[in-house]
Amino acid sequence: MKAIWTGAIGFGLVNIPVKMYTATEESSLDLDMLDKKDLSNIRFKRVNEHTGKEVDWENIVKAYDYEGKYIVLDKADFEKAMPEKTKLLTIDQFVKVDEIDSILYEAPYYLEPQKGGEAAYGLLTEALKKTGMAGVGTFVLRNKEALGVLRFYEDLLLFQRIRYAQEVRDVKELNVPKRTIKPSELKMATALISQLSQSFDISAYKDHYTDELLKIIRAKAKGKKITQPKMKVVYNKSKDLMEQLKASLAASKTKKVS
């Protein structure tokens, strides 16, 4: 892995030198866009919508549509808005991990201690593990301030970026009609949930689409003909909610027996 940031964790008067690594990667295949006639690569151009002519990078500016009028921003404007560059991941407070709603979580990063910071790194890791707490703090990544939580994960420190409150849309914008829930329906639904409950194991879930697509690519590379699979139509004969719940419970019991 290649470090994307080097600096130090700072909380109180303690500084822990660390390196930061991206913790996740895409499982989807990287596909190129080609012209079907001769399989030439497709190139995208920056074209003026009025003249149809290509525009050079030096003649392109960035602007914000403010009340129907474009306000052009120059390099100085962006520099004024940038946070002060430091090499410090500053922890402002510690909170309980379960206080952070999962909707806020974004990209995770692994933190590795640099030379001289091993002891303090190990101490903070163990302290977070024992208390079940997470540190909330910020650092500057690529000229932008990133907000996140520092927490224990797999015997190391993980910094997970989180969204700001204004980035989460208000649920009041959605139209979710209220429905009177019958006690019998609720009892049946909770029974189904209980019957299907088990310990979560992420390794049980695979990216089957990418695996199947790769199989097709390998087969086509060998000149094999690919047959089109038949689409399976899935539907419920009954529109009665109780009947659907009963059928679901029965099907679940059958699976467990087999």
Side-chain angles (χ1 to χ4, degrees):
M1 283 190 270
K2 184 179 179 181
I4 63 165
W5 183 85
T6 57
I9 300 169
F11 68 103
L13 298 176
V14 180
N15 276 12
I16 308 172
V18 293
K19 288 183 179 181
M20 181 178 287
Y21 302 85
T22 303
T24 58
E25 58 186 2
E26 288 292 327
S27 62
S28 57
L29 299 178
D30 185 15
L31 302 176
D32 293 332
M33 296 180 67
L34 309 176
D35 188 327
K36 64 186 289 188
K37 294 178 181 178
D38 59 0
L39 300 186
S40 297
N41 273 289
I42 301 299
R43 302 298 180 199
F44 293 92
K45 295 182 178 181
R46 300 168 297 279
V47 177
N48 184 307
E49 67 173 331
H50 296 300
T51 66
K53 295 181 179 180
E54 190 173 358
V55 183
D56 294 330
W57 272 115
E58 58 265 26
N59 293 324
I60 294 177
V61 297
K62 291 184 178 180
Y64 181 79
D65 186 348
Y66 183 74
E67 297 180 353
K69 180 182 178 182
Y70 276 120
I71 305 299
V72 176
L73 299 170
D74 56 30
K75 186 178 179 180
D77 295 322
F78 288 107
E79 288 178 349
K80 288 177 184 176
M82 284 179 188
E84 183 182 350
K85 288 185 179 181
T86 67
K87 282 289 185 179
L88 198 64
L89 194 167
T90 306
I91 301 300
D92 301 310
Q93 61 175 314
F94 288 92
V95 300
K96 292 182 179 179
V97 174
D98 56 13
E99 289 181 350
I100 306 166
D101 197 302
S102 61
I103 197 173
L104 297 174
Y105 284 121
E106 284 191 301
Y109 301 97
Y110 294 141
L111 295 179
E112 175 187 68
Q114 292 194 72
K115 190 175 181 180
E118 297 89 347
Y121 180 97
L123 178 61
L124 180 57
T125 303
E126 193 61 29
L128 292 178
K129 177 183 178 181
K130 185 175 182 178
T131 60
M133 303 290 277
V136 180
T138 58
F139 77 107
V140 179
L141 180 65
R142 301 186 187 95
N143 298 322
K144 187 176 181 181
E145 189 173 64
L147 173 68
V149 293
L150 182 72
R151 60 189 180 89
F152 170 82
Y153 175 80
E154 297 283 350
D155 291 327
L156 54 79
L157 292 177
L158 179 87
F159 183 82
Q160 187 141 17
R161 291 180 64 171
I162 58 175
R163 296 177 176 89
Y164 291 96
Q166 63 263 40
E167 294 178 310
V168 180
R169 290 180 172 178
D170 195 335
V171 296
K172 293 178 181 178
E173 295 180 20
L174 301 177
N175 180 24
V176 182
K178 290 186 177 181
R179 178 181 178 274
T180 302
I181 305 298
K182 297 177 182 178
S184 56
E185 292 176 344
L186 183 59
K187 184 179 179 180
M188 193 75 71
T190 53
L192 180 58
I193 291 172
S194 178
Q195 195 165 291
L196 295 173
S197 296
Q198 54 186 285
S199 298
F200 178 67
D201 179 13
I202 189 61
S203 65
Y205 297 87
K206 307 291 183 184
D207 183 1
H208 296 296
Y209 175 78
T210 298
D211 290 342
E212 289 301 315
L213 192 58
L214 195 54
K215 287 180 184 178
I216 291 171
I217 290 170
R218 287 168 179 161
K220 294 190 78 170
K222 293 178 181 178
K224 294 181 181 179
K225 189 176 181 181
I226 306 301
T227 56
Q228 184 75 20
K230 292 183 179 180
M231 183 176 290
K232 296 179 181 179
V233 180
V234 181
Y235 64 95
N236 287 313
K237 292 182 179 179
S238 174
K239 291 185 178 180
D240 183 83
L241 186 55
M242 277 296 291
E243 288 299 320
Q244 292 175 7
L245 287 168
K246 287 178 182 177
S248 298
L249 277 167
S252 177
K253 286 179 180 177
T254 303
K255 283 183 180 179
K256 285 190 174 182
V257 171
S258 59

